[in-house]
Amino acid sequence: MDAESARAAICAAVRAIPAGKVSSYGAVAARAGLPRRARLVGRVLREAGEADLPWHRVLHADGRLAAPLRSALGRRQARLLLAEGVRVHAGRVAAACFVDGGDADALLWASPQRALRRR
DNA sequence: ATTTTGACGACCC
DNA sequence: TGGGTCGCCAAAA
């Protein structure tokens, strides 16, 4: 799979995330047929820039936004998510907001303990 | 040609 | 809670 088709597959996977839901870089990569290529997803989104992509629906696997809330990118993402009904707390979203759903515990609050770490 | 650098993430101590 | 390590790998330096 060449770089260009990989980019296309990733964009398609990102566009497939429904509004009001989020997914992680790693999950997007996997759905694009590129397991373990989370970093590539991040790079593609960064390069996509202002492209017509719901990039804000992609965040870290532990629920943290793509960038710290203090950064311009982080705040832009929080604003976009909030606009479509995704609750953002201290720069994080609950595991239940992920398209891939969280496990039972996660449904009660955020899943991995590490995700609760605030920053 | 080699090293560094990330919009990552699972693990380990 | 907080740091490292290691896998991954395309660009930039």
Side-chain angles (χ1 to χ4, degrees), chain A residues 2 8 13 34 43 48 57 72 79 99 103 108 115:
Chain A
D2 60 273
L34 299 163
R43 194 163 57 74
R57 310 216 264 250
R79 174 178 65 70
V99 285
D103 52 58
L108 293 178

Side-chain angles (χ1 to χ4, degrees), chain A residues 40-97:
Chain A
L40 180 59
V41 174
R43 194 163 57 74
V44 167
L45 292 186
R46 176 164 51 76
E47 294 177 346
E50 301 302 316
D52 166 37
L53 276 176
W55 63 271
H56 57 284
R57 310 216 264 250
V58 182
L59 45 166
H60 292 274
D62 60 12
R64 276 157 35 237
L65 298 185
L69 213 47
R70 103 179 57 83
S71 70
L73 181 69
R75 288 193 287 205
R76 191 147 54 239
Q77 180 168 38
R79 174 178 65 70
L80 292 170
L81 287 176
L82 257 9
E84 48 185 56
V86 176
R87 311 263 290 288
V88 181
H89 275 323
R92 300 188 307 95
V93 309
C97 298

Side-chain angles (χ1 to χ4, degrees), chain A residues 2 4-5 14 30 39 42 49 55 61 75 84 96 108 116 118:
Chain A
D2 60 273
E4 178 47 34
S5 52
V14 171
R39 301 187 89 127
W55 63 271
R75 288 193 287 205
E84 48 185 56
L108 293 178
L116 291 176
R118 53 174 59 208

Side-chain angles (χ1 to χ4, degrees), chain A residues 10-50:
Chain A
I10 288 171
C11 287
V14 171
R15 276 189 267 260
I17 304 171
K21 283 283 178 179
V22 301
S23 190
S24 71
Y25 294 94
V28 166
R31 274 181 295 152
L34 299 163
R36 293 186 292 298
R37 304 287 312 274
R39 301 187 89 127
L40 180 59
V41 174
R43 194 163 57 74
V44 167
L45 292 186
R46 176 164 51 76
E47 294 177 346
E50 301 302 316

